[in-house]
Amino acid sequence: MEDIAPDLLLRIRASFQKRMEESSQIQSLLERIQSGGGTYGDAQNYAYQIGQALSQALGENLSSAVLPDGRMYYNIASRVLEPLLEEDHSIVSQAAKLVQQSLNQKAGIGIQAQTVPVNADRIAGIVDKISNGESFEDVAWVLDEPIKNFSMNVVDETIRQNVNFQGKSGLRPKVIRKSERKCCPWCSNLAGEYEYPDVPDDVYRRHENCRCTVEYDPGSGKRQNVHTKKWTTDGQRDMIEERKQIGLTSTDIFRPKDYQITIGAYVKLNSLELLEKAKAGKRHSHAGVYRDAVGKSKKQLQKSIISRTAQIERHADKIQNPESYVPDWKEKSSAYQEGLIRKWEKDMRRNAEQAEIELAVFEEMYGI
Ligand SMILES: [Zn+2]
């Protein structure tokens, strides 16, 4: 028997390409998304159109007449549908990533847009369904709405991935689900605004024929310090920078209280406890930092506190703008990114503890 799969794939792919190129809706959505002005609503619409183009390309080339025994055998279905659905995924995923990237940029969020891997389970499900019919005509419906749904799901999952990733790194993004009029009671009930981590899984789900929109919102776009639960704002950073400049140029107006406030904005510490442990020489207590601090001159102590505070700020900036410090940050895996952010947070905390001890020594010796 002649193997028709390779030729079918070629013809469907050519038709899919042509439909995408000739669709003014697809092209104008793509233009908006590429120019940085796209929303997730646009990406969802784009995904729907891409899914529709694929669905039509399949419909145009597949029928009982061209298939052996008038049915879609598994080995044809898998070799034709898998690569095409993967292609759909990659086209839509790229657009969703661009949308997220521009939203991050607008919110001043220095976190790279995340993408999702292709959903092999869903592809397997579609291939199974289409190859389960006695005749192709019985199962042809699988190539319509389920394909569009597959395509739109890529966008929904991209939102989920980005919201969770940003949430884990201290941001509080939101998801806004809007129900398309007359969608269904389930969707009406689900419509609303949700803030990470209180986003139910269903918010990212889409039943067949559902055209509801799911939008990402950066929230305040500010990172919540995991220790202090305080927001770090740009304004606050500017003030800190100014204080640091004053501190560095003239030690005469060095005010320990200012540095405590600065450090406290980033890391919450129990300075009394830190100092007591260091004095007692407890393990992991920065006892060495305490001994050194006591032996330092006033000027040396001020310098050390200023320098440690600058370190804290540098780490805070790294956490907020990792791509400015790590080449190819966006190419790194999520595990790598999260690991490095955790390391910076640890370094920031260590510097803060050491600065607090020096500040305590400074206070004891020279007053506030
Ligand atoms: Zn709906």
Side-chain angles (χ1 to χ4, degrees):
M1 197 168 69
E2 194 200 348
D3 183 8
I4 61 163
D7 183 53
L8 266 182
L9 177 58
L10 276 179
R11 278 190 286 129
I12 297 166
R13 181 173 276 151
S15 164
F16 180 31
Q17 282 293 344
K18 191 161 174 279
R19 284 171 187 280
M20 286 190 289
E21 279 158 23
E22 287 176 359
S23 159
S24 57
Q25 276 177 296
I26 288 179
Q27 292 312 318
S28 73
L29 281 166
L30 185 60
E31 220 167 90
R32 182 148 70 233
I33 290 168
Q34 283 177 335
S35 71
T39 63
Y40 265 112
D42 293 328
Q44 279 147 18
N45 190 3
Y46 181 74
Y48 171 79
Q49 305 281 347
I50 298 289
Q52 181 172 257
L54 176 55
S55 172
Q56 288 168 345
L58 288 160
E60 184 191 323
N61 289 285
L62 293 171
S63 67
S64 294
V66 303
L67 293 167
D69 308 329
R71 63 176 293 180
M72 178 67 106
Y73 285 101
Y74 178 85
N75 94 79
I76 298 174
S78 65
R79 284 181 302 150
V80 171
L81 285 174
E82 273 171 26
L84 290 167
L85 288 169
E86 280 166 13
E87 210 168 305
D88 178 297
H89 170 94
S90 118
I91 292 165
V92 172
S93 173
Q94 189 54 33
K97 185 188 181 181
L98 284 175
V99 166
Q100 183 68 52
Q101 228 158 35
S102 63
L103 292 172
N104 285 356
Q105 239 157 43
K106 277 177 205 155
I109 292 171
I111 288 179
Q112 285 304 321
Q114 305 292 304
T115 54
V116 285
V118 63
N119 191 333
D121 283 350
R122 278 187 79 129
I123 294 182
I126 290 172
V127 168
D128 271 347
K129 264 189 210 140
I130 197 77
S131 50
N132 263 339
E134 282 297 308
S135 99
F136 173 74
E137 313 304 343
D138 293 345
V139 285
W141 62 270
V142 174
L143 301 181
D144 185 23
E145 182 57 26
I147 300 272
K148 296 171 192 163
N149 192 275
F150 169 88
S151 200
M152 295 181 84
N153 177 257
V154 177
V155 180
D156 302 331
E157 285 303 317
T158 304
I159 302 180
R160 184 210 296 269
Q161 176 74 15
N162 280 282
V163 164
N164 289 347
F165 186 71
Q166 296 192 357
K168 278 183 199 158
S169 35
L171 293 164
R172 284 295 173 270
K174 289 178 195 160
V175 184
I176 300 142
R177 180 164 175 138
K178 282 194 187 132
S179 176
E180 188 66 9
R181 272 189 309 133
K182 297 182 208 143
C183 187
C184 69
W186 185 78
C187 280
S188 305
N189 193 39
L190 207 52
E193 199 176 297
Y194 303 88
E195 190 186 75
Y196 179 91
D198 304 314
V199 188
D201 262 358
D202 280 349
V203 171
Y204 304 108
R205 291 211 177 103
R206 184 181 296 281
H207 56 79
E208 287 190 0
N209 294 304
C210 168
R211 304 287 178 260
C212 295
T213 58
V214 184
E215 289 283 352
Y216 156 93
D217 181 298
S220 67
K222 291 162 197 154
R223 187 181 295 282
Q224 196 174 32
N225 186 299
V226 287
H227 307 293
T228 61
K229 302 289 174 204
K230 273 185 192 166
W231 300 106
T232 314
T233 67
D234 283 347
Q236 195 179 21
R237 285 236 302 275
D238 291 345
M239 273 164 49
I240 289 161
E241 189 57 33
E242 205 178 285
R243 264 198 232 108
K244 197 174 72 191
Q245 295 298 335
I246 293 166
L248 282 168
T249 49
S250 165
T251 47
D252 289 334
I253 51 162
F254 177 91
R255 287 185 303 254
K257 197 83 205 148
D258 291 347
Y259 285 83
Q260 271 163 350
I261 292 165
T262 302
I263 295 162
Y266 292 110
V267 185
K268 187 168 169 56
L269 297 168
N270 184 337
S271 34
L272 257 177
E273 194 186 303
L274 276 169
L275 184 66
E276 262 156 35
K277 280 187 178 167
K279 275 184 179 172
K282 289 234 164 83
R283 270 166 68 82
H284 310 299
S285 69
H286 309 297
V289 172
Y290 173 75
R291 274 196 307 275
D292 286 351
V294 173
K296 277 182 172 141
S297 73
K298 187 176 182 182
K299 209 161 190 160
Q300 281 173 331
L301 202 47
Q302 286 173 350
K303 267 193 160 173
S304 181
I305 291 164
I306 290 166
S307 139
R308 287 195 207 278
T309 306
Q311 283 280 358
I312 294 164
E313 290 176 315
R314 194 165 309 124
H315 280 116
D317 195 53
K318 279 182 172 181
I319 293 164
Q320 273 198 319
N321 306 297
E323 72 286 349
S324 317
Y325 296 88
V326 179
D328 303 327
W329 172 259
K330 60 183 157 192
E331 321 301 341
K332 306 287 188 193
S333 69
S334 301
Y336 177 92
Q337 293 184 344
E338 282 176 45
L340 199 53
I341 284 175
R342 267 200 301 277
K343 182 197 174 295
W344 288 333
E345 279 174 346
K346 248 177 97 178
D347 290 347
M348 183 167 75
R349 185 171 187 85
R350 195 190 55 249
N351 268 297
E353 289 177 353
Q354 296 175 343
E356 277 292 320
I357 287 170
E358 291 178 336
L359 277 163
V361 171
F362 190 93
E363 268 189 56
E364 278 189 351
M365 292 167 83
Y366 311 106
I368 295 181

